[in-house]
Amino acid sequence: MIGEAWAIAQAVREGRVSAVETAQTAINRIRTLDGRINAVTRLLEKRALAEAALVDQKVAAGFDPGPLAGVPYGVKDLFDVAGLPTTAGAGIRRDAPPASVDAQAIMRLNAAGAVLVATLNMDEFAYGFATVNATWGTTRNPHDPGRLAGGSSGGSAAGVAAGMLPFTLGSDTNGSIRIPASLCGVWGLKPTHGALPMEGVFPFVDSFDDIGPFTRSARDLALITGILAAKPLQMDASPGLCVARLGGWFANNLEPAMETAFADFCGQLGALPTIELPQVDRARSAAFLMTAAEGGRRHLPMLRHNPAGFDPATRDRLIAGAALPSAAYLDAQDFRIYYKAQLDRIFETVHIAVAPVTVGVAPRIDNPVIRIDGRPVPARANLGLFTQPLNFAGLPVISAPLATADGLPLGVQLIGPPGSDATLFAFAADLEQRGLLRAHICENPACP
């Protein structure tokens, strides 16, 4: 069984278990489980065992290997890993020149004693909410392999939910951490825009891209985020927080299971005021437009050179984005300035807002749709209904798993103003301790 990161590190530092044994356990679980889940694109066994042996040598010599001593982890397949091509989920990049050094985030984790075990599946170039990949296949939800894991960081979420790894890294442009975290029942963070290091991460949309961890607990989420940020997070809960529920846009289109679970969650928090964000529909549309335009321009040279090398579902969206007029992109940027200013005013009196992550549970792989305004729409493009308007403003958001007793996982967004990440962590940890939030992990090796 793979436990929480902080507990693994403590056991390794105290000599109760070796880092090599811990890495081998993770490797064995991946070999046992991943054939049914398809979260892993590359198993880095040689590197992992070598890194783990170095941790054990430090322990034996009386040195502290770091706060993540011997903790195995994986990264979404768009982080640079020295000696390997950074594919960003694209078959067209399988033969790209290998990275010369690790991404900055990997360097910081390894300096803290963590052990890199695997790279993880994703939507091609992070353009999707499903982790349906034309080259590496579809990542399945560990709680029901007939359902999507979500995306674009689906492999990262599924790897934690299946108990293969205690934590992983993903990226979030329009919801790509929060959506799979919610659908797989684990914790995920979209930090304040720009708060965590992006060096060595294959870019998609500079205006929105961020990285963040997936974990089994709020404690681990804060621990790993502090290491990535190169400064420990202060998690002292602030008294007198004003918490509000997002209504309007965020209360529409909910499936019955989500509507009930979210209402129960809010009820446990007391008589929450309901607030509405202004012009959310325009914010989502503008986020779509900026995503398409920046992504299309980034990939335009390769689209011209080798269009057949792309997944057709990705290629067509990128071509459409590249064809957008500059004036439309500039209009979206202007609206973003206005929208952020309106949200700044709201967060002068509201410290934390809560909202669902998705409209409901993970869609089925054989029928990958959700219903918006009574119509079925493709899940791959539309699962970000409640996440895109928040990325558009650069807000920090924790995706927290609701402690539902049965059924498939559901997640809630804990949202704050820019720079309030530590406040969100303290709030999340308190709700986890109260039993309102809880990760859903498959510990049985026969799972799913």
Side-chain angles (χ1 to χ4, degrees):
M1 181 178 76
I2 298 292
E4 292 181 47
W6 70 267
I8 293 171
Q10 183 172 311
V12 170
R13 294 164 83 184
E14 294 174 355
R16 291 185 281 115
V17 66
S18 77
V20 168
E21 290 170 342
T22 303
Q24 193 63 63
T25 297
I27 291 165
N28 292 344
R29 285 187 66 81
I30 288 171
R31 288 197 170 122
T32 299
L33 298 175
D34 195 55
R36 302 182 67 186
I37 298 168
N38 194 37
V40 174
T41 55
R42 287 175 290 202
L43 183 60
L44 309 177
E45 181 174 10
K46 184 176 180 181
R47 170 172 172 154
L49 294 177
E51 289 182 352
L54 289 175
V55 171
D56 287 336
Q57 289 173 19
K58 290 181 180 179
V59 172
F63 296 107
D64 185 352
L68 291 176
V71 180
Y73 73 103
V75 297
K76 186 175 180 176
D77 211 355
L78 46 58
F79 287 80
D80 285 352
V81 177
L84 299 177
T86 306
T87 69
I92 201 172
R93 289 188 54 81
R94 280 178 296 189
D95 298 322
S100 57
V101 296
D102 290 336
Q104 182 68 27
I106 293 176
M107 291 183 185
R108 292 183 181 181
L109 292 171
N110 288 2
V115 173
L116 181 62
V117 171
T119 60
L120 304 165
N121 201 15
M122 58 181 288
D123 286 293
E124 182 176 274
F125 292 122
Y127 208 172
F129 294 126
T131 310
V132 174
N133 190 290
T135 302
W136 282 276
T138 297
T139 295
R140 296 176 176 271
N141 194 307
H143 300 282
D144 181 347
R147 295 180 183 270
L148 295 170
S152 62
S153 308
S156 299
V160 175
M164 295 191 291
L165 295 163
F167 82 92
T168 59
L169 295 187
S171 69
D172 192 310
T173 301
N174 283 297
S176 288
I177 288 175
R178 287 159 291 155
I179 290 164
S182 175
L183 300 185
C184 290
V186 297
W187 293 81
L189 169 71
K190 203 296 289 185
T192 295
H193 183 58
L196 299 182
M198 294 296 298
E199 295 89 348
V201 179
F202 195 92
F204 178 27
V205 180
D206 291 336
S207 294
F208 307 137
D209 287 351
D210 283 300
I211 65 165
F214 294 84
T215 68
R216 300 166 59 108
S217 68
R219 180 174 180 174
D220 274 357
L221 199 69
L223 169 65
I224 293 153
T225 301
I227 290 166
L228 292 172
K231 56 182 180 182
L233 291 176
Q234 302 298 320
M235 286 187 56
D236 296 333
S238 301
L241 289 176
C242 177
V243 181
R245 173 179 180 168
L246 293 187
W249 178 271
F250 298 91
N252 297 330
N253 296 297
L254 298 180
E255 296 175 4
M258 175 59 89
E259 188 168 20
T260 299
F262 185 64
D264 289 346
F265 169 75
C266 291
Q268 293 292 324
L269 299 183
L272 298 185
T274 298
I275 62 172
E276 293 192 26
L277 303 186
Q279 302 187 59
V280 180
D281 54 345
R282 287 189 65 191
R284 182 178 181 237
S285 296
F288 258 130
L289 189 151
M290 290 179 64
T291 296
E294 289 190 33
R297 283 200 297 269
R298 184 178 304 282
H299 293 285
L300 187 56
M302 185 57 72
L303 287 166
R304 288 170 170 161
H305 174 69
N306 184 15
F310 288 77
D311 175 350
T314 305
R315 178 193 62 217
D316 294 349
R317 297 173 74 189
L318 290 172
I319 290 173
L324 286 167
S326 297
Y329 179 80
L330 294 175
D331 285 345
Q333 283 190 316
D334 288 343
F335 176 69
R336 189 184 187 203
I337 295 171
Y338 163 81
Y339 182 73
K340 290 171 71 174
Q342 298 305 303
L343 266 57
D344 286 344
R345 292 178 60 186
I346 289 172
F347 280 109
E348 288 177 358
T349 54
V350 172
H351 302 109
I352 295 175
V354 297
V357 179
T358 60
V359 298
V361 300
R364 293 198 56 82
I365 292 173
D366 59 6
N367 186 33
V369 300
I370 61 173
R371 299 191 73 83
I372 298 179
D373 297 334
R375 297 182 297 107
V377 296
R380 185 172 185 173
N382 290 284
L383 274 168
L385 184 71
F386 298 149
T387 57
Q388 285 177 285
L390 305 177
N391 289 68
F392 190 61
L395 306 179
V397 188
I398 290 176
S399 177
L402 290 169
T404 50
D406 50 29
L408 293 166
L410 296 164
V412 60
Q413 296 186 90
L414 312 179
I415 309 151
S420 67
D421 305 53
T423 300
L424 292 179
F425 281 118
F427 182 64
D430 177 64
L431 297 185
E432 184 179 41
Q433 188 174 22
R434 291 169 54 186
L436 303 183
L437 303 172
R438 175 179 57 83
H440 301 260
I441 309 295
C442 293
E443 296 290 11
N444 186 340
C447 174

